[in-house]
Amino acid sequence: MTIEFYWTERGRAEYRTGEDRLDCLGMWLVGDIQTDHHFCLDLLADLDDIANGRKEAESWEGNAWAAELSAEGVDLQNLWRDVLKAHYTLRETQRVVEQYWRLLTDDPDRDRAFAEWEKENGRPHPVIGR
């Protein structure tokens, strides 16, 4: 699996991949999750909860993408272009979102985002290596 997240000269998160099949996942993260720490933390928690049987499924809808998360994997569908859709395994999605999170952790707001998430949710966040 080859996908890389990086900051552009204008300070925008972007991705590049050598595998076309990962494009929908990259587009979803940089386009809908964007650089919002809370959204990314929620997504990571949902993926972990599903992987560990604490939750059966979750639905997400953003600016351009709808996502269905379950133990069977993650189904992405672009809301504006029917041809942009993909299926990823749960583990594969977790690895890519964790990689995206590492890009976002180059920010001093990450500790505050963790503290706020944990206070709002009444539990420690399952992400390893804040």
Side-chain angles (χ1 to χ4, degrees):
M1 173 173 45
T2 306
I3 190 166
E4 176 187 358
F5 296 99
Y6 62 95
W7 296 109
T8 67
E9 290 178 8
R10 295 183 120 157
R12 177 176 157 80
E14 194 51 77
Y15 78 96
R16 65 179 142 250
T17 180
E19 297 179 49
D20 291 345
R21 67 177 213 79
L22 295 174
D23 279 333
C24 288
L25 192 50
M27 285 187 271
W28 178 45
L29 292 172
V30 300
D32 270 14
I33 304 302
Q34 300 176 357
T35 58
D36 189 299
H37 288 87
H38 289 65
F39 286 157
C40 197
L41 288 171
D42 282 343
L43 177 56
L44 286 165
D46 283 346
L47 292 166
D48 189 74
D49 287 347
I50 292 167
N52 289 294
R54 291 186 296 271
K55 187 184 277 192
E56 285 189 33
E58 190 63 59
S59 296
W60 281 66
E61 189 168 314
N63 301 332
W65 293 90
E68 295 296 327
L69 290 60
S70 71
E72 287 77 43
V74 175
D75 291 304
L76 294 177
Q77 174 65 59
N78 186 278
L79 300 172
W80 307 106
R81 296 189 57 208
D82 290 341
V83 297
L84 293 176
K85 59 184 169 187
H87 174 83
Y88 303 98
T89 67
L90 194 61
R91 184 64 201 130
E92 170 178 50
T93 304
Q94 283 180 293
R95 285 193 306 263
V96 171
V97 177
E98 287 167 0
Q99 187 176 344
Y100 188 60
W101 173 251
R102 284 191 292 277
L103 176 77
L104 300 186
T105 61
D106 283 344
D107 181 331
D109 285 340
R110 78 167 178 266
D111 290 334
R112 186 181 72 213
F114 265 108
E116 288 174 6
W117 190 96
E118 290 175 344
K119 183 178 179 184
E120 289 171 11
N121 289 277
R123 66 179 178 137
H125 193 279
V127 169
I128 298 169
R130 311 184 203 200

